[in-house]
Amino acid sequence: MRIFAATSRYVQGAGALDDLGRYCRPLGSHAFVITDADMAKLLGARVTASFETAEMASSLEVFPGEITHAAIAELAGRARDFGADMIVGLGGGKALDTAKGVALKLGARSVSVPTIASNDGPASAAIAVYDEHHIMQDILHLPRNPELVLADTQVIANAPVRFLRAGIGDAISKKFEAEACAAAGATTLLGTPASLTGLMAADACYQIIRQHAVAAVRAVEQKQVNDDLEALVEATVLLSTLSFENGGLSLAHALARGFSYLERARGTLHGDHVAYGLLVQLVMEKRSQDFILELCGFFREVGLPTRLADFGLEQPTATEIRELAEKSMVSPSAARFAPPVDADQLEVAIRQVEAITAAQN
Ligand SMILES: [Zn+2]
């Protein structure tokens, strides 16, 4: 058996935000929009106007910051009072996941409007819930993927470029993770082996990134939208999600889980963790040093990390490396790799990545 999951409508382009109401209209009449304080100030008026144009009722709610079960329950109560039939997340990963959590609680439709392209969350059915210390507590799942994902590339181009870089990190690993997951005979998050469509999406995602990422990063440094950015955003916001949901995850994402426990890496982004995790995975796959160095060259060009020092872990201690290896094993994705790995092997692989990238310059 195989299962394929995807968002039912994906809309992308400069200025697309002004058409949000029009694309939401087929989903219902009452949109409950969850966003953070900065986005409310920056984009709230445009969003509200787009719903007015579409003759829909909308309510803009500023969420507290961290995606906790308590925050979701509180917002769900307000959305119910408003009579919401769709929950729209507007912002970064936290706003979007909070909105998905509220949609899940109410059985309402889910809409994602990412204002940064930093990870594969917007189009995904998965919802990461954290505790107050930003340690992942749970992964919940919507019964269906968000009905609509709307990415305004001008909004994404106006955001700090470090978010775009992280999105590249979160997406570039997918080809290698899907292939490793399939080779291990492991299942995707849908509980079935990878579909061919999922594996092809992961490969296409990689090719598009290698072709367009450098020019797209340069464009966003100038806050400009060009064809390279349009191509890259399709890869990092749409294909990246199709890849992991339908192709499967592996060691790169296991390592990303481990990073969330490292005190000194606090504040660094998921996609950066995945990029480093991919290097560890490639060592575990016994790829040649030339192959890894070529990829590291690309990482440096787009500004992705290649060593622990890039996360603020100057001269990482033995304890930190051990903790990264051990906590990575907490992730179910650590088991989506053959032959089976343990913390000792990951620790050796991390040290090997450090040695390879230290020799780089
Ligand atoms: Zn990810």
Side-chain angles (χ1 to χ4, degrees), residues 120 170 253 270 274:
D120 58 22
D170 198 21
H253 266 75
H270 168 78
V274 175

Side-chain angles (χ1 to χ4, degrees), residues 24 41 50 102 141 145 200 228 231 253 278 311 332 336 342:
C24 284
K41 209 157 41 171
S50 94
V102 173
H141 287 93
N145 290 61
M200 294 298 284
D228 294 295
H253 266 75
L278 174 58
F311 297 92
R336 297 186 175 105
D342 59 26

Side-chain angles (χ1 to χ4, degrees), residues 277-297:
L278 174 58
L279 301 179
V280 177
Q281 176 175 328
L282 295 176
V283 166
M284 291 298 298
E285 288 177 2
K286 302 192 170 27
R287 301 266 181 171
S288 73
Q289 184 152 327
D290 284 351
F291 184 91
I292 296 172
L293 280 174
E294 193 279 331
L295 189 65
C296 284

Side-chain angles (χ1 to χ4, degrees), residues 10-20 23 46 113-115 148-158 224-227 229-231 233-234 237:
Y10 179 77
V11 178
Q12 179 193 307
L17 188 68
D18 297 314
D19 292 324
L20 177 63
Y23 289 106
R46 278 175 72 188
V113 185
T115 56
L148 168 67
V149 177
L150 184 139
D152 187 323
T153 34
Q154 186 62 61
V155 171
I156 287 167
N158 290 344
Q224 274 166 12
V225 176
N226 60 11
D227 290 346
L229 181 65
E230 295 287 358
V233 169
E234 188 180 333
V237 178

Side-chain angles (χ1 to χ4, degrees), residues 118-121 166 169-171 173-174 177 240 244 249 253 256 270-271 274:
S118 69
N119 64 52
D120 58 22
D170 198 21
S173 68
K174 297 294 165 50
E177 294 195 83
S240 182
F244 93 83
L249 292 174
H253 266 75
H270 168 78
V274 175

Side-chain angles (χ1 to χ4, degrees), residues 2-130:
R2 59 193 78 180
I3 301 178
F4 178 80
T7 178
S8 25
R9 191 60 57 103
Y10 179 77
V11 178
Q12 179 193 307
L17 188 68
D18 297 314
D19 292 324
L20 177 63
R22 178 154 70 91
Y23 289 106
C24 284
R25 189 72 192 90
L27 305 175
S29 59
H30 284 66
F32 188 82
V33 184
I34 294 174
T35 192
D36 60 52
D38 289 346
M39 287 303 123
K41 209 157 41 171
L42 200 64
L43 305 172
R46 278 175 72 188
V47 167
T48 306
S50 94
F51 284 115
E52 276 168 11
T53 307
E55 297 180 345
M56 291 172 65
S58 70
S59 169
L60 199 72
E61 297 288 324
V62 173
F63 83 110
E66 203 59 83
I67 319 155
T68 58
H69 286 294
I72 289 171
E74 211 261 317
L75 284 163
R78 277 194 262 161
R80 194 182 290 114
D81 293 344
F82 173 67
D85 43 25
M86 73 191 75
I87 312 296
V88 181
L90 171 75
K94 286 181 188 176
L96 300 196
D97 272 12
T98 304
K100 284 194 265 179
V102 173
L104 175 65
K105 212 168 181 71
L106 296 182
R109 302 212 175 196
S110 164
V111 175
S112 293
V113 185
T115 56
I116 52 175
S118 69
N119 64 52
D120 58 22
S124 166
I127 306 162
V129 181
Y130 294 85

